[in-house]
Amino acid sequence: MARTYATDVLVVGAGPVGLTAAAELRRRGVSCRIVDRLPARLPFAKAVGIQPRTLELWDRMGLVRTVLEAAVPMRGQYLYVNGIEQPRLDLVLPPEVPYGFAALPQYETERIIDEFLGRFGTTVERGTELVSFRQDADGVTARLHTPSGAEEEVRTRFLVGCDGAHSIVRKGLGLSYEGGAFPEEYMLADVRVDWDVPHGYGVRSLHRGVDGAVDDVLVCIPLPGPGRYRMSMMVPPELSTARQVEASSDGIAHGLQSSRAPGLADIQAVLDRLSPQPTTASDIRWSSVFRISHRIVDRYGDRRVFVAGDAAHIHPPTGAQGMNTGIQDAWNLAWKLALAVRDAARPGLLASYDAERRPVGEEVVGRTVRHAVQGIESDPDAPETVMLREAQLLVGYRGSPVVDPPGEGRGPRPGDRAPDCRGLTGHIAAYPLRLYDLLREREHLLLLYGTGPGLDELARTAGESSGGRVEVCVVLPADAPPDGQAGASPLPVYRDSRGEFARLYAADQPTAFVIRPDGYLGARLTPPAPQSLAAHLGAVFAATGEA
């Protein structure tokens, strides 16, 4: 055996999900290795849609500016049925949401997170494959096959499998992966076209037969570059991969298939049938055949080993939910692992990863299957609700064992996403801030709204109950006296100058909000009693000296 290297966490798989897990661990100072069996990053634009919720998380990390400069906006979609234009879908969100929808090829997403990870001295170990692992009460022993052909045994405290639909980690844990496959096959291609569709809009063109069923489809998502789109369409019989899937080792028909790649002539034939206007495809960068399955594991982990992303759930690409859901899996798990590595987490914190994220995965799988069969326009909810859900802004964790009961009342409750707001002003900066400016690159934050005595005691309780791991900020109402507490408090103080915080959080009296590293409310305390705050933090953080 080669030399053994100890690390806190071993991440298997260097797609967007694995890279996010590794980056979030390293950003928190956790030692981490990330391995991938492929010798190089794949040049495919598989997942291209970036949801507003993912951009919010990248803001928390400090890399959103790089993404925004590389991506293109997704403003909406033109829909055609049998050549007849239908009402246009415009992707519009409430003004307090800081980011819109975007499109970015997966290889660019991976490059950006990979370079961010490199700032912390960690690089992907390419051509390195997990062969097997075993876990015990104290850690995990993993066996790796390295590019030199040698085997290496690695001892790690935790193992995270982000290794896709055919996950070795999932199989090693013996997790079930129930579901099925769609019979249809699709072509994917990254091409240039010369039509004049407005910038930032996609195209979805369907043909329905005499029975009303869809028998031909073209979906085009804009990519960076003039006239560039990632196109998907049904596969002609000569490119079918059915036999290849039947012969595969695990029978999971999902993702890119290794068969004859579609050529420009195949793409052009579909455009000639379904394009909303005459156009010519050119400059093909890559193409492939794609199969779709829908599956989800029965558990997201077992003791010291976890799965995330496609290793945990696969489903139709409808609404660009998959990669974004996986990235949010990784975020949820990483901040909890960082506390567990330092023995600062209560025993139930890691278990809450499954409790919080598996219901999300189940909902996404079910919804994308329905939308793939019936169309998103068949969703019975109000259009505003559908839009927020597709943006992943309605994902929440009410009922989680590590958030307080939601209780009654207006505004966001424990387990809900903490909404952004504008118009926070300080003593020095000559410009107003957003709430997310205060959250950026922070971990747990205790946000105290209102005036009155007891702020220092609450701050002291937060520090004592978390081992100093909770920061504190004060937000004063717009009509609070101009001096007084704001000048005397040793805590950072901001004023809700526009009243947006009070409106969006339905805060009309002194209230304490505990905001988690992933931007969700862990607690909402009215009145903000130190005992209630200590009880909440005691469910998350281990007491000093507690193993």
Side-chain angles (χ1 to χ4, degrees):
M1 289 288 183
R3 181 183 174 190
T4 298
Y5 293 90
T7 188
D8 287 327
V9 182
L10 174 64
V11 177
V12 181
V17 179
L19 288 166
T20 297
E24 282 303 281
L25 290 165
R26 292 297 295 122
R27 191 167 69 87
R28 293 172 169 85
V30 175
S31 67
C32 173
R33 288 178 64 178
I34 177 169
V35 301
D36 194 285
R37 64 179 181 83
L38 297 177
R41 188 182 305 126
L42 293 175
F44 304 140
K46 294 184 291 182
V48 297
I50 306 296
Q51 301 296 350
R53 177 62 189 147
T54 299
L55 292 171
E56 290 180 357
L57 290 176
W58 285 340
D59 189 331
R60 297 295 297 267
M61 294 173 70
L63 61 73
V64 73
R65 183 182 66 187
T66 306
V67 174
L68 297 177
E69 291 175 351
V72 295
M74 272 295 297
R75 296 191 170 96
Q77 184 179 78
Y78 286 88
L79 174 63
Y80 299 85
V81 178
N82 292 5
I84 300 173
E85 186 172 356
Q86 308 297 308
R88 187 179 73 185
L89 172 66
D90 289 304
L91 301 176
V92 179
L93 293 167
E96 64 269 12
V97 177
Y99 299 108
F101 298 83
L104 187 68
Q106 182 171 325
Y107 55 81
E108 278 292 277
T109 298
E110 292 176 1
R111 177 189 64 81
I112 289 169
I113 307 175
D114 196 353
E115 291 177 357
F116 181 80
L117 175 62
R119 299 181 195 176
F120 305 98
T122 298
T123 58
V124 177
E125 300 175 40
R126 294 280 179 188
T128 302
E129 185 173 6
L130 175 71
V131 177
S132 64
F133 64 89
R134 64 182 186 275
Q135 65 173 315
D136 52 52
D138 301 316
V140 182
T141 301
R143 192 158 57 92
L144 303 177
H145 186 80
T146 67
S148 67
E151 286 192 353
E152 178 186 357
E153 191 172 273
V154 177
R155 182 69 175 169
T156 179
R157 296 188 65 178
F158 297 97
L159 173 66
V160 181
C162 307
D163 47 342
H166 306 282
S167 170
I168 296 297
V169 176
R170 183 187 66 244
K171 295 171 185 175
L173 280 179
L175 304 180
S176 70
Y177 202 40
E178 298 299 326
F182 284 85
E184 298 87 0
E185 299 174 81
Y186 297 89
M187 297 186 293
L188 293 183
D190 177 347
V191 299
R192 184 195 304 270
V193 288
D194 56 1
W195 61 27
D196 58 2
V197 172
H199 179 65
Y201 280 85
V203 170
R204 184 167 175 246
S205 181
L206 312 175
H207 183 272
R208 294 187 182 274
V210 293
D211 61 353
V214 174
D215 56 18
D216 209 358
V217 62
L218 169 69
V219 178
C220 308
I221 306 298
L223 296 175
R228 294 217 72 90
Y229 290 83
R230 202 287 308 277
M231 297 188 175
S232 59
M233 55 207 77
M234 289 183 175
V235 167
E238 62 270 20
L239 293 178
S240 174
T241 67
R243 292 182 179 178
Q244 173 187 321
V245 171
E246 292 172 1
S248 65
S249 60
D250 57 13
I252 297 174
H254 190 79
L256 302 181
Q257 308 296 309
S258 56
S259 61
R260 182 176 77 82
L264 271 176
D266 300 305
I267 308 304
Q268 188 63 52
V270 179
L271 288 171
D272 290 344
R273 296 196 304 268
L274 294 177
S275 175
Q277 56 185 264
T279 191
T280 300
S282 63
D283 190 17
I284 187 169
R285 285 178 175 165
W286 68 272
S287 63
S288 182
V289 173
F290 192 86
R291 294 293 302 265
I292 299 172
S293 288
H294 49 94
R295 296 175 182 267
I296 188 166
V297 292
D298 57 329
R299 292 169 293 152
Y300 272 31
D302 177 18
R303 293 170 291 167
R304 292 181 172 269
V305 183
F306 304 89
V307 291
D310 284 1
H313 47 78
I314 53 176
H315 44 81
T318 314
Q321 302 292 291
M323 180 187 71
N324 294 272
T325 299
I327 286 172
Q328 292 167 47
D329 290 343
W331 245 91
N332 186 288
L333 179 59
W335 72 262
K336 297 171 180 177
L337 278 176
L339 290 174
V341 162
R342 295 183 173 88
D343 296 323
R346 291 285 293 173
L349 186 62
L350 284 180
S352 73
Y353 170 59
D354 177 84
E356 293 183 348
R357 292 304 300 174
R358 191 154 56 93
V360 174
E362 290 172 342
E363 190 277 331
V364 169
V365 171
R367 172 162 46 91
T368 54
V369 169
R370 290 194 304 274
H371 288 175
V373 174
Q374 304 172 9
I376 192 172
E377 58 273 10
S378 67
D379 198 302
D381 288 325
E384 297 81 6
T385 300
V386 172
M387 193 67 62
L388 289 171
R389 187 185 297 121
E390 293 296 306
Q392 300 191 330
L393 298 173
L394 299 183
V395 171
Y397 307 130
R398 291 192 184 189
S400 164
V402 293
V403 304
D404 283 4
E408 301 293 334
R410 299 177 299 113
R413 315 307 298 177
D416 293 349
R417 163 184 166 269
D420 195 12
C421 68
R422 301 166 294 183
L424 300 180
T425 55
H427 300 302
I428 300 174
Y431 53 88
L433 300 173
R434 304 185 74 112
L435 177 61
Y436 282 13
D437 293 327
L438 309 189
L439 301 183
R440 187 174 300 119
E441 300 183 67
R442 275 182 159 139
E443 295 301 301
H444 279 83
L445 178 69
L446 173 62
L447 197 153
L448 303 172
Y449 175 81
T451 60
L455 298 184
D456 291 343
E457 184 180 0
L458 287 164
R460 186 166 54 253
T461 299
E464 293 172 351
S465 300
S466 67
R469 291 181 169 86
V470 175
E471 297 185 59
V472 184
C473 282
V474 177
V475 173
L476 298 175
D479 58 358
D483 298 315
Q485 262 187 316
S489 174
L491 303 172
V493 176
Y494 299 89
R495 181 178 296 276
D496 183 21
S497 297
R498 298 184 184 177
E500 282 197 12
F501 183 92
R503 176 175 62 83
L504 292 170
Y505 281 76
D508 54 8
Q509 58 184 306
T511 304
F513 300 88
V514 177
I515 303 178
R516 309 187 332 174
D518 53 4
Y520 287 89
L521 292 182
R524 176 179 180 136
L525 307 173
T526 309
Q531 297 87 347
S532 300
L533 176 61
H536 168 72
L537 296 177
V540 176
F541 297 97
T544 304
E546 181 181 357

